[in-house]
Short mmCIF file of all heavy atoms in Angstrom, two decimals:
data_model
loop_
_atom_site.label_atom_id
_atom_site.label_comp_id
_atom_site.label_asym_id
_atom_site.label_seq_id
_atom_site.Cartn_x
_atom_site.Cartn_y
_atom_site.Cartn_z
N ALA A 471 -5.65 -6.39 11.59
CA ALA A 471 -6.45 -7.48 12.16
C ALA A 471 -5.61 -8.33 13.11
O ALA A 471 -6.04 -8.65 14.22
CB ALA A 471 -7.02 -8.35 11.04
N GLN A 472 -4.39 -8.68 12.69
CA GLN A 472 -3.54 -9.49 13.55
C GLN A 472 -3.16 -8.75 14.83
O GLN A 472 -3.04 -9.35 15.89
CB GLN A 472 -2.27 -9.90 12.78
CG GLN A 472 -2.56 -10.92 11.67
CD GLN A 472 -1.32 -11.22 10.85
OE1 GLN A 472 -0.47 -12.02 11.24
NE2 GLN A 472 -1.21 -10.58 9.70
N ALA A 473 -3.00 -7.43 14.74
CA ALA A 473 -2.72 -6.63 15.94
C ALA A 473 -3.85 -6.77 16.95
O ALA A 473 -3.63 -6.75 18.16
CB ALA A 473 -2.51 -5.17 15.57
N GLY A 475 -5.39 -9.43 17.43
CA GLY A 475 -5.43 -10.83 17.83
C GLY A 475 -6.34 -11.67 16.95
O GLY A 475 -6.75 -12.76 17.33
N THR A 476 -6.64 -11.16 15.75
CA THR A 476 -7.59 -11.82 14.85
C THR A 476 -6.85 -12.50 13.70
O THR A 476 -6.09 -11.84 12.99
CB THR A 476 -8.60 -10.79 14.30
OG1 THR A 476 -9.30 -10.20 15.40
CG2 THR A 476 -9.60 -11.44 13.36
N PRO A 477 -7.06 -13.80 13.47
CA PRO A 477 -6.42 -14.50 12.36
C PRO A 477 -6.88 -13.96 11.01
O PRO A 477 -7.91 -13.28 10.91
CB PRO A 477 -6.89 -15.95 12.55
CG PRO A 477 -7.37 -16.03 13.96
CD PRO A 477 -7.91 -14.68 14.30
N VAL A 478 -6.11 -14.28 9.97
CA VAL A 478 -6.41 -13.79 8.63
C VAL A 478 -6.51 -14.96 7.66
O VAL A 478 -5.67 -15.86 7.66
CB VAL A 478 -5.32 -12.81 8.14
CG1 VAL A 478 -5.65 -12.30 6.75
CG2 VAL A 478 -5.18 -11.63 9.11
N PRO A 505 1.19 -20.12 13.91
CA PRO A 505 0.55 -19.59 12.70
C PRO A 505 -0.38 -18.43 13.04
O PRO A 505 -0.88 -18.31 14.16
CB PRO A 505 -0.22 -20.79 12.16
CG PRO A 505 -0.52 -21.61 13.35
CD PRO A 505 0.67 -21.46 14.25
N THR A 506 -0.61 -17.58 12.05
CA THR A 506 -1.53 -16.45 12.26
C THR A 506 -2.63 -16.42 11.20
O THR A 506 -3.42 -15.48 11.19
CB THR A 506 -0.76 -15.12 12.23
OG1 THR A 506 -0.20 -14.92 10.92
CG2 THR A 506 0.36 -15.11 13.26
N GLY A 507 -2.66 -17.42 10.32
CA GLY A 507 -3.70 -17.40 9.31
C GLY A 507 -3.66 -18.59 8.38
O GLY A 507 -2.90 -19.54 8.58
N ILE A 532 -4.41 -21.37 16.00
CA ILE A 532 -4.07 -19.96 15.79
C ILE A 532 -4.57 -19.17 16.99
O ILE A 532 -5.77 -19.11 17.25
CB ILE A 532 -4.70 -19.42 14.49
CG1 ILE A 532 -4.25 -20.27 13.29
CG2 ILE A 532 -4.32 -17.96 14.28
CD1 ILE A 532 -4.92 -19.88 11.99
N THR A 533 -3.68 -18.56 17.72
CA THR A 533 -4.04 -17.86 18.96
C THR A 533 -3.97 -16.35 18.77
O THR A 533 -3.19 -15.84 17.95
CB THR A 533 -3.10 -18.25 20.10
OG1 THR A 533 -1.77 -17.76 19.80
CG2 THR A 533 -3.05 -19.77 20.28
N PRO A 534 -4.77 -15.60 19.55
CA PRO A 534 -4.68 -14.14 19.50
C PRO A 534 -3.27 -13.64 19.83
O PRO A 534 -2.79 -12.67 19.24
CB PRO A 534 -5.69 -13.70 20.56
CG PRO A 534 -6.68 -14.81 20.63
CD PRO A 534 -5.87 -16.06 20.41
N GLU A 535 -2.61 -14.30 20.77
CA GLU A 535 -1.27 -13.88 21.18
C GLU A 535 -0.27 -14.00 20.02
O GLU A 535 0.58 -13.13 19.82
CB GLU A 535 -0.80 -14.71 22.37
CG GLU A 535 -1.51 -14.41 23.67
CD GLU A 535 -2.91 -15.05 23.75
OE1 GLU A 535 -3.24 -15.91 22.88
OE2 GLU A 535 -3.66 -14.71 24.67
N ALA A 536 -0.37 -15.09 19.24
CA ALA A 536 0.54 -15.27 18.10
C ALA A 536 0.29 -14.21 17.04
O ALA A 536 1.24 -13.68 16.44
CB ALA A 536 0.35 -16.67 17.51
N CYS A 537 -0.98 -13.90 16.81
CA CYS A 537 -1.32 -12.87 15.82
C CYS A 537 -0.76 -11.52 16.24
O CYS A 537 -0.16 -10.80 15.44
CB CYS A 537 -2.83 -12.79 15.66
SG CYS A 537 -3.58 -14.26 14.92
N ARG A 538 -0.94 -11.18 17.50
CA ARG A 538 -0.46 -9.90 18.00
C ARG A 538 1.07 -9.83 17.92
O ARG A 538 1.63 -8.80 17.50
CB ARG A 538 -0.91 -9.73 19.46
CG ARG A 538 -0.39 -8.47 20.15
CD ARG A 538 -1.08 -7.24 19.65
NE ARG A 538 -0.58 -6.04 20.28
CZ ARG A 538 -1.00 -4.80 20.01
NH1 ARG A 538 -1.98 -4.63 19.14
NH2 ARG A 538 -0.50 -3.75 20.61
N GLU A 539 1.74 -10.88 18.30
CA GLU A 539 3.20 -10.91 18.29
C GLU A 539 3.73 -10.72 16.86
O GLU A 539 4.73 -10.02 16.64
CB GLU A 539 3.70 -12.23 18.88
CG GLU A 539 5.21 -12.31 19.05
CD GLU A 539 5.75 -11.31 20.07
OE1 GLU A 539 5.00 -10.93 20.99
OE2 GLU A 539 6.93 -10.93 19.94
N ASN A 540 3.06 -11.32 15.91
CA ASN A 540 3.49 -11.17 14.52
C ASN A 540 3.32 -9.73 14.05
O ASN A 540 4.19 -9.16 13.37
CB ASN A 540 2.68 -12.10 13.61
CG ASN A 540 3.18 -12.10 12.18
OD1 ASN A 540 4.36 -12.25 11.91
ND2 ASN A 540 2.25 -11.90 11.25
N ALA A 541 2.21 -9.10 14.43
CA ALA A 541 1.95 -7.72 14.02
C ALA A 541 2.96 -6.74 14.60
O ALA A 541 3.30 -5.73 13.97
CB ALA A 541 0.54 -7.31 14.42
N LEU A 542 3.47 -7.04 15.79
CA LEU A 542 4.41 -6.14 16.44
C LEU A 542 5.71 -5.98 15.64
O LEU A 542 6.46 -5.01 15.85
CB LEU A 542 4.72 -6.62 17.86
CG LEU A 542 3.57 -6.49 18.87
CD1 LEU A 542 3.96 -7.11 20.21
CD2 LEU A 542 3.18 -5.03 19.06
#
Side-chain angles (χ1 to χ4, degrees):
Q472 290 175 81
T476 300
V478 180
T506 65
I532 303 175
T533 67
E535 289 78 11
C537 294
R538 176 73 181 180
E539 186 65 27
N540 186 50
L542 290 175

